[in-house]
């Protein structure tokens, strides 16, 4: 299980392995996705930040360095870079 409260922050780096939660993820707070500015992701590329067995809630806010969107699909949190 993974629980993130309203005051919490999950920071991940593009190109690293996703956080794997084998059972339930309860989400709130902020998701921060960093990039390597010397090797930024291509526009439209995706990154799976987290996988989970089941989900309660969503991140209250997110910050994607360089710009991007976050969606919840197929038991995962996926970032699309803009």
């Amino acid at each position: 299980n993974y629980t993130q409260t309203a005051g919490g922050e999950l920071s991940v780096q593009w190109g690293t392995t996703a956080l794997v939660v084998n059972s339930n993820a309860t989400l709130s707070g902020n998701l921060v996705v960093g990039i390597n500015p010397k090797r930024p992701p291509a526009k439209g590329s995706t990154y799976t930040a987290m996988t989970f067995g089941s989900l309660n809630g969503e991140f209250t806010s997110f910050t994607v360095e360089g710009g991007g969107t976050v969606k919840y699909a197929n038991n995962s949190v996926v970032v699309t870079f803009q």
Side-chain angles (χ1 to χ4, degrees), residues 18-79:
L19 173 62
V20 176
V21 180
N22 292 320
S23 54
N24 186 59
T26 300
L27 302 180
S28 189
N30 193 31
L31 171 66
V32 177
V33 181
I35 63 169
N36 178 343
K38 294 181 181 180
R39 294 184 50 148
K43 182 178 178 179
S45 63
T46 60
Y47 166 64
T48 300
M50 171 188 272
T51 63
F52 43 79
S54 62
L55 176 65
N56 289 318
E58 294 183 353
F59 291 107
T60 307
S61 61
F62 62 88
T63 303
V64 179
E65 193 175 339
T69 60
V70 173
K71 71 176 184 174
Y72 302 83
N74 301 319
N75 290 42
S76 61
V77 177
V78 178
V79 177

